Amino acid sequence: MNVMAKAKKKISSAFIYFFGSFGGILFGYDIGVMTGALPFLQADWHLENAASLVGWITSAVMFGAIFGGALAGQLSDKFGRRKMILMSAIVFMIFSVLSGVSPDIGEASAYYLIIVRMFLGLAVGAASALVPAYMSEMAPAKARGRLSGLNQTMIVSGMLLSYVVDFLLKDLPGEWAWRLMLGLAAVPALILFLGVLRLPESPRFLLRKGDEAQARKVLSYIRKNPAEIDQELASIKETAKEERQANQKTSWSTLFSSKYRYLVIAGVGVAAFQQFQGANAIFYYIPLIVQKATGQAASSNLMWPIVQGIILVIGSLVYMWIADKFNRRTLLMVGGAVMGLSFILPAVINWMMPNMNPMTIVVFLCIYVAFYSFTWAPLTWVLVGEIFPLAIRGRASGLASSFNWIGSWLVGLIFPIMTACMPQEAVFAIFGIICILGVIFVKTCVPETRGHTLEEIEEQGTNRGRVKATNPEN
């Protein structure tokens, strides 16, 4: 009997959850790799005084990701989460290699790299939308926060990996250093492609396409109890039945109908706030931030990104430990408040004590990163993965991902320009105010999702929509 059971269960749940979230490695590596590559690239291409061009090279990936997230969301509803993750890995491999072999043809080299990194961003944006959706549809409700948090652990592990690679390659000749840093991103993409080849499709997507037998088989890989499988299948089918009875045709306008508007605004709003709070300014530019604070060369400050990466990884593990013990809203509000103060206090201290030690701001940035790492960083993608109903999940996840990347792109683009025009403390104080606004948004606009099934969350949003439709003044 055990032999037969093992023969049927060919894919372990650990394998599914590991490679289901491995796309975060691509996301994280490309967020982090430019941190170390940029000082060498600036020196090699003489871009030290070209703040706008540096901003575009850094943020080009995020600009492409805006469209990659939205496109992948739509296509995943048609072709499935698994196939689109495979396609993302292929695109990522191709354009990582093309980044590493950028031609040295004067100023045109910068524009070539910007264009290549925009196409690379299509894959990064797709992964940021597809991985949370896939993980939330595979994970049981009681462990969904923890297992979806694997995505964040993969992201920050990818960032730390890129920081370590940058540090190990820093003593190579400048041109070889940054080229290898960028080109080696193809390696995790290849690993993802090989792993996802064996992954099953999401059971919710399979049921939506009418393949109940295969959906049951997939659930048998990741659910221990046959009764739990039957209950989950029945719940998913009931939701699908209601959608068919309503003869619903999902379009962009569907997202903002009274039935879904509340949940869409909540999910997209959290995704946007995560980036406009300024975290990626630290991750992309920490060597340059330390350089401006201390006067030391940015290329000699590549240990600081590793420090940030270690804090992020530890924070992601802390999150997995506390994920299903505290409400999502509580963690977001506490984290956002501390993050805001970590940005605002250096400006206040510097105003009161003009001779403040310049490293004070770096210490406060570490506090910011610590709280960000176990609150807004993982919870944004957990919420994006679980708050949207099945009928709109692919499209809405893509929209949330796109808004997230719009914030990331703008922060990456304008941060070097802002710091060239005003003190760093003032720039971070602006981000601190945005953090506080994010806390207010969570308090007033975001529902609690911990411990609820995806179907219960959808019903909560539907009921809210009915109330709003009946009492518009509310």
Side-chain angles (χ1 to χ4, degrees), residues 83-124:
K83 288 181 180 177
M84 292 309 302
I85 293 175
L86 283 171
M87 184 60 67
S88 300
I90 293 171
V91 173
F92 198 97
M93 278 188 281
I94 293 171
F95 287 96
S96 294
V97 173
L98 290 177
S99 296
V101 298
S102 299
D104 192 352
I105 49 177
E107 187 174 326
S109 300
Y111 293 107
Y112 167 89
L113 187 55
I114 289 170
I115 293 171
V116 167
R117 283 175 58 77
M118 283 182 182
F119 280 100
L120 183 60
L122 292 175
V124 174

Short mmCIF file of all heavy atoms in Angstrom, two decimals, residues 83-124:
data_model
loop_
_atom_site.label_atom_id
_atom_site.label_comp_id
_atom_site.label_asym_id
_atom_site.label_seq_id
_atom_site.Cartn_x
_atom_site.Cartn_y
_atom_site.Cartn_z
N LYS A 83 3.42 27.74 -16.78
CA LYS A 83 3.99 28.02 -18.10
C LYS A 83 4.58 29.43 -18.17
O LYS A 83 5.62 29.65 -18.79
CB LYS A 83 2.92 27.86 -19.18
CG LYS A 83 2.53 26.41 -19.45
CD LYS A 83 1.48 26.31 -20.55
CE LYS A 83 1.09 24.86 -20.80
NZ LYS A 83 0.02 24.73 -21.83
N MET A 84 3.93 30.37 -17.51
CA MET A 84 4.42 31.73 -17.55
C MET A 84 5.69 31.90 -16.71
O MET A 84 6.56 32.70 -17.04
CB MET A 84 3.34 32.70 -17.09
CG MET A 84 2.15 32.80 -18.05
SD MET A 84 2.65 33.11 -19.77
CE MET A 84 3.55 34.64 -19.58
N ILE A 85 5.81 31.15 -15.62
CA ILE A 85 7.05 31.18 -14.84
C ILE A 85 8.20 30.62 -15.67
O ILE A 85 9.32 31.16 -15.67
CB ILE A 85 6.89 30.41 -13.51
CG1 ILE A 85 5.90 31.12 -12.59
CG2 ILE A 85 8.24 30.28 -12.80
CD1 ILE A 85 5.58 30.36 -11.31
N LEU A 86 7.95 29.55 -16.42
CA LEU A 86 8.97 28.99 -17.31
C LEU A 86 9.40 30.01 -18.36
O LEU A 86 10.60 30.19 -18.62
CB LEU A 86 8.43 27.73 -18.01
CG LEU A 86 8.37 26.45 -17.19
CD1 LEU A 86 7.60 25.37 -17.95
CD2 LEU A 86 9.77 25.96 -16.85
N MET A 87 8.44 30.69 -18.96
CA MET A 87 8.76 31.70 -19.96
C MET A 87 9.58 32.83 -19.35
O MET A 87 10.52 33.35 -19.98
CB MET A 87 7.47 32.24 -20.58
CG MET A 87 7.70 33.24 -21.71
SD MET A 87 8.63 32.54 -23.09
CE MET A 87 7.40 31.34 -23.68
N SER A 88 9.23 33.22 -18.13
CA SER A 88 9.98 34.29 -17.45
C SER A 88 11.43 33.89 -17.25
O SER A 88 12.35 34.72 -17.41
CB SER A 88 9.34 34.61 -16.10
OG SER A 88 8.01 35.03 -16.25
N ALA A 89 11.66 32.64 -16.87
CA ALA A 89 13.04 32.17 -16.65
C ALA A 89 13.86 32.23 -17.94
O ALA A 89 15.03 32.62 -17.93
CB ALA A 89 13.02 30.75 -16.10
N ILE A 90 13.24 31.87 -19.07
CA ILE A 90 13.94 31.92 -20.36
C ILE A 90 14.32 33.36 -20.72
O ILE A 90 15.46 33.64 -21.10
CB ILE A 90 13.06 31.30 -21.47
CG1 ILE A 90 12.88 29.80 -21.22
CG2 ILE A 90 13.69 31.53 -22.84
CD1 ILE A 90 11.86 29.15 -22.14
N VAL A 91 13.36 34.27 -20.60
CA VAL A 91 13.63 35.68 -20.90
C VAL A 91 14.72 36.23 -20.00
O VAL A 91 15.63 36.95 -20.44
CB VAL A 91 12.34 36.52 -20.76
CG1 VAL A 91 12.63 38.01 -20.91
CG2 VAL A 91 11.30 36.07 -21.79
N PHE A 92 14.67 35.85 -18.72
CA PHE A 92 15.67 36.32 -17.76
C PHE A 92 17.06 35.85 -18.15
O PHE A 92 18.04 36.62 -18.09
CB PHE A 92 15.31 35.84 -16.36
CG PHE A 92 15.99 36.60 -15.26
CD1 PHE A 92 15.33 37.63 -14.60
CD2 PHE A 92 17.29 36.29 -14.88
CE1 PHE A 92 15.96 38.34 -13.59
CE2 PHE A 92 17.92 37.00 -13.86
CZ PHE A 92 17.25 38.02 -13.22
N MET A 93 17.19 34.59 -18.54
CA MET A 93 18.50 34.05 -18.94
C MET A 93 19.07 34.83 -20.12
O MET A 93 20.24 35.24 -20.12
CB MET A 93 18.37 32.56 -19.31
CG MET A 93 18.39 31.62 -18.14
SD MET A 93 18.49 29.88 -18.65
CE MET A 93 16.79 29.57 -19.11
N ILE A 94 18.26 35.01 -21.14
CA ILE A 94 18.72 35.66 -22.37
C ILE A 94 19.23 37.08 -22.10
O ILE A 94 20.35 37.45 -22.49
CB ILE A 94 17.60 35.70 -23.43
CG1 ILE A 94 17.27 34.28 -23.90
CG2 ILE A 94 18.00 36.57 -24.61
CD1 ILE A 94 16.04 34.18 -24.78
N PHE A 95 18.45 37.86 -21.38
CA PHE A 95 18.81 39.26 -21.22
C PHE A 95 19.83 39.49 -20.11
O PHE A 95 20.50 40.54 -20.09
CB PHE A 95 17.56 40.11 -21.04
CG PHE A 95 16.78 40.26 -22.32
CD1 PHE A 95 15.71 39.44 -22.61
CD2 PHE A 95 17.18 41.19 -23.27
CE1 PHE A 95 15.02 39.55 -23.82
CE2 PHE A 95 16.49 41.33 -24.46
CZ PHE A 95 15.42 40.50 -24.75
N SER A 96 20.00 38.54 -19.20
CA SER A 96 21.11 38.62 -18.25
C SER A 96 22.44 38.50 -18.99
O SER A 96 23.39 39.26 -18.73
CB SER A 96 21.00 37.51 -17.20
OG SER A 96 19.87 37.70 -16.38
N VAL A 97 22.51 37.54 -19.90
CA VAL A 97 23.73 37.36 -20.70
C VAL A 97 23.99 38.60 -21.55
O VAL A 97 25.13 39.10 -21.63
CB VAL A 97 23.62 36.11 -21.58
CG1 VAL A 97 24.81 36.02 -22.54
CG2 VAL A 97 23.56 34.85 -20.71
N LEU A 98 22.93 39.14 -22.18
CA LEU A 98 23.10 40.33 -23.01
C LEU A 98 23.56 41.54 -22.19
O LEU A 98 24.28 42.41 -22.70
CB LEU A 98 21.79 40.65 -23.74
CG LEU A 98 21.38 39.67 -24.85
CD1 LEU A 98 20.03 40.06 -25.44
CD2 LEU A 98 22.45 39.62 -25.94
N SER A 99 23.16 41.61 -20.92
CA SER A 99 23.63 42.70 -20.05
C SER A 99 25.13 42.58 -19.82
O SER A 99 25.87 43.57 -19.84
CB SER A 99 22.90 42.66 -18.71
OG SER A 99 21.53 42.91 -18.86
N GLY A 100 25.58 41.34 -19.58
CA GLY A 100 26.99 41.13 -19.29
C GLY A 100 27.92 41.37 -20.47
O GLY A 100 29.11 41.63 -20.28
N VAL A 101 27.39 41.29 -21.69
CA VAL A 101 28.23 41.48 -22.89
C VAL A 101 27.94 42.82 -23.55
O VAL A 101 28.13 42.97 -24.76
CB VAL A 101 28.03 40.32 -23.90
CG1 VAL A 101 28.44 39.00 -23.29
CG2 VAL A 101 26.57 40.25 -24.38
N SER A 102 27.51 43.80 -22.77
CA SER A 102 27.24 45.13 -23.33
C SER A 102 28.46 45.66 -24.09
O SER A 102 29.58 45.60 -23.57
CB SER A 102 26.89 46.12 -22.20
OG SER A 102 25.74 45.71 -21.51
N PRO A 103 28.27 46.19 -25.29
CA PRO A 103 29.40 46.72 -26.06
C PRO A 103 29.91 48.02 -25.46
O PRO A 103 29.15 48.77 -24.84
CB PRO A 103 28.79 46.95 -27.45
CG PRO A 103 27.34 47.19 -27.19
CD PRO A 103 26.99 46.30 -26.03
N ASP A 104 31.19 48.27 -25.61
CA ASP A 104 31.79 49.50 -25.11
C ASP A 104 31.93 50.46 -26.28
O ASP A 104 32.95 50.52 -26.97
CB ASP A 104 33.16 49.20 -24.50
CG ASP A 104 33.69 50.39 -23.70
OD1 ASP A 104 33.06 51.46 -23.76
OD2 ASP A 104 34.73 50.24 -23.03
N ILE A 105 30.86 51.23 -26.53
CA ILE A 105 30.82 52.10 -27.72
C ILE A 105 30.46 53.53 -27.31
O ILE A 105 29.63 54.19 -27.93
CB ILE A 105 29.81 51.56 -28.76
CG1 ILE A 105 28.46 51.23 -28.10
CG2 ILE A 105 30.37 50.34 -29.47
CD1 ILE A 105 27.39 50.76 -29.08
N GLY A 106 31.08 53.95 -26.23
CA GLY A 106 30.83 55.31 -25.78
C GLY A 106 29.48 55.47 -25.09
O GLY A 106 28.98 54.54 -24.46
N GLU A 107 28.88 56.65 -25.24
CA GLU A 107 27.61 56.93 -24.57
C GLU A 107 26.50 55.98 -25.00
O GLU A 107 25.59 55.69 -24.24
CB GLU A 107 27.20 58.38 -24.85
CG GLU A 107 25.98 58.82 -24.06
CD GLU A 107 25.68 60.30 -24.25
OE1 GLU A 107 26.63 61.08 -24.39
OE2 GLU A 107 24.48 60.65 -24.25
N ALA A 108 26.60 55.47 -26.24
CA ALA A 108 25.58 54.54 -26.74
C ALA A 108 25.54 53.26 -25.91
O ALA A 108 24.52 52.57 -25.86
CB ALA A 108 25.84 54.20 -28.21
N SER A 109 26.66 52.92 -25.24
CA SER A 109 26.70 51.73 -24.40
C SER A 109 25.65 51.83 -23.29
O SER A 109 24.98 50.85 -22.97
CB SER A 109 28.09 51.57 -23.77
OG SER A 109 29.08 51.45 -24.75
N ALA A 110 25.53 53.00 -22.70
CA ALA A 110 24.57 53.20 -21.62
C ALA A 110 23.14 52.99 -22.11
O ALA A 110 22.33 52.34 -21.44
CB ALA A 110 24.71 54.59 -21.02
N TYR A 111 22.85 53.48 -23.32
CA TYR A 111 21.50 53.33 -23.85
C TYR A 111 21.21 51.87 -24.22
O TYR A 111 20.08 51.38 -24.05
CB TYR A 111 21.30 54.26 -25.05
CG TYR A 111 21.35 55.71 -24.66
CD1 TYR A 111 22.44 56.51 -24.98
CD2 TYR A 111 20.31 56.29 -23.93
CE1 TYR A 111 22.49 57.84 -24.61
CE2 TYR A 111 20.35 57.62 -23.55
CZ TYR A 111 21.44 58.39 -23.88
OH TYR A 111 21.49 59.70 -23.49
N TYR A 112 22.23 51.17 -24.72
CA TYR A 112 22.08 49.73 -24.98
C TYR A 112 21.72 49.00 -23.69
O TYR A 112 20.77 48.19 -23.65
CB TYR A 112 23.38 49.16 -25.56
CG TYR A 112 23.44 47.64 -25.57
CD1 TYR A 112 22.97 46.90 -26.64
CD2 TYR A 112 23.97 46.94 -24.47
CE1 TYR A 112 23.02 45.51 -26.64
CE2 TYR A 112 24.02 45.55 -24.46
CZ TYR A 112 23.54 44.85 -25.55
OH TYR A 112 23.59 43.47 -25.53
N LEU A 113 22.47 49.27 -22.62
CA LEU A 113 22.24 48.58 -21.35
C LEU A 113 20.87 48.93 -20.79
O LEU A 113 20.18 48.06 -20.21
CB LEU A 113 23.34 48.94 -20.36
CG LEU A 113 23.32 48.16 -19.03
CD1 LEU A 113 23.36 46.66 -19.27
CD2 LEU A 113 24.49 48.60 -18.14
N ILE A 114 20.45 50.16 -20.94
CA ILE A 114 19.12 50.56 -20.46
C ILE A 114 18.04 49.75 -21.18
O ILE A 114 17.12 49.22 -20.54
CB ILE A 114 18.90 52.07 -20.69
CG1 ILE A 114 19.77 52.88 -19.72
CG2 ILE A 114 17.42 52.44 -20.50
CD1 ILE A 114 19.81 54.37 -20.03
N ILE A 115 18.15 49.62 -22.50
CA ILE A 115 17.14 48.88 -23.28
C ILE A 115 17.14 47.40 -22.90
O ILE A 115 16.08 46.79 -22.68
CB ILE A 115 17.39 49.06 -24.79
CG1 ILE A 115 17.13 50.51 -25.19
CG2 ILE A 115 16.50 48.13 -25.60
CD1 ILE A 115 17.55 50.85 -26.60
N VAL A 116 18.33 46.80 -22.79
CA VAL A 116 18.42 45.38 -22.42
C VAL A 116 17.82 45.15 -21.04
O VAL A 116 17.09 44.18 -20.81
CB VAL A 116 19.89 44.91 -22.47
CG1 VAL A 116 20.04 43.54 -21.79
CG2 VAL A 116 20.38 44.82 -23.91
N ARG A 117 18.12 46.05 -20.11
CA ARG A 117 17.60 45.87 -18.76
C ARG A 117 16.09 46.11 -18.69
O ARG A 117 15.41 45.58 -17.82
CB ARG A 117 18.35 46.79 -17.78
CG ARG A 117 19.73 46.22 -17.45
CD ARG A 117 20.56 47.16 -16.59
NE ARG A 117 19.93 47.50 -15.33
CZ ARG A 117 19.87 46.70 -14.26
NH1 ARG A 117 20.39 45.47 -14.33
NH2 ARG A 117 19.31 47.11 -13.15
N MET A 118 15.54 46.89 -19.62
CA MET A 118 14.08 47.01 -19.69
C MET A 118 13.44 45.67 -20.06
O MET A 118 12.44 45.25 -19.47
CB MET A 118 13.69 48.07 -20.71
CG MET A 118 13.86 49.50 -20.25
SD MET A 118 13.32 50.69 -21.51
CE MET A 118 13.71 52.24 -20.71
N PHE A 119 14.04 44.97 -21.04
CA PHE A 119 13.52 43.65 -21.41
C PHE A 119 13.73 42.65 -20.27
O PHE A 119 12.87 41.80 -20.03
CB PHE A 119 14.20 43.15 -22.69
CG PHE A 119 13.61 43.75 -23.94
CD1 PHE A 119 14.24 44.81 -24.57
CD2 PHE A 119 12.44 43.26 -24.48
CE1 PHE A 119 13.70 45.38 -25.73
CE2 PHE A 119 11.89 43.81 -25.63
CZ PHE A 119 12.52 44.88 -26.26
N LEU A 120 14.84 42.76 -19.58
CA LEU A 120 15.07 41.92 -18.41
C LEU A 120 13.98 42.15 -17.37
O LEU A 120 13.52 41.23 -16.69
CB LEU A 120 16.45 42.22 -17.83
CG LEU A 120 16.93 41.41 -16.63
CD1 LEU A 120 17.00 39.93 -16.98
CD2 LEU A 120 18.29 41.91 -16.17
N GLY A 121 13.56 43.41 -17.27
CA GLY A 121 12.51 43.75 -16.33
C GLY A 121 11.18 43.08 -16.61
O GLY A 121 10.39 42.85 -15.69
N LEU A 122 10.91 42.76 -17.88
CA LEU A 122 9.69 42.02 -18.20
C LEU A 122 9.64 40.70 -17.42
O LEU A 122 8.60 40.32 -16.87
CB LEU A 122 9.61 41.74 -19.70
CG LEU A 122 9.41 42.95 -20.62
CD1 LEU A 122 9.48 42.50 -22.08
CD2 LEU A 122 8.07 43.63 -20.35
N ALA A 123 10.79 40.01 -17.37
CA ALA A 123 10.85 38.73 -16.65
C ALA A 123 10.79 38.94 -15.15
O ALA A 123 10.13 38.18 -14.43
CB ALA A 123 12.12 37.99 -17.03
N VAL A 124 11.46 39.97 -14.66
CA VAL A 124 11.45 40.24 -13.22
C VAL A 124 10.04 40.59 -12.76
O VAL A 124 9.55 40.10 -11.73
CB VAL A 124 12.44 41.38 -12.89
CG1 VAL A 124 12.34 41.76 -11.42
CG2 VAL A 124 13.87 40.95 -13.22
#
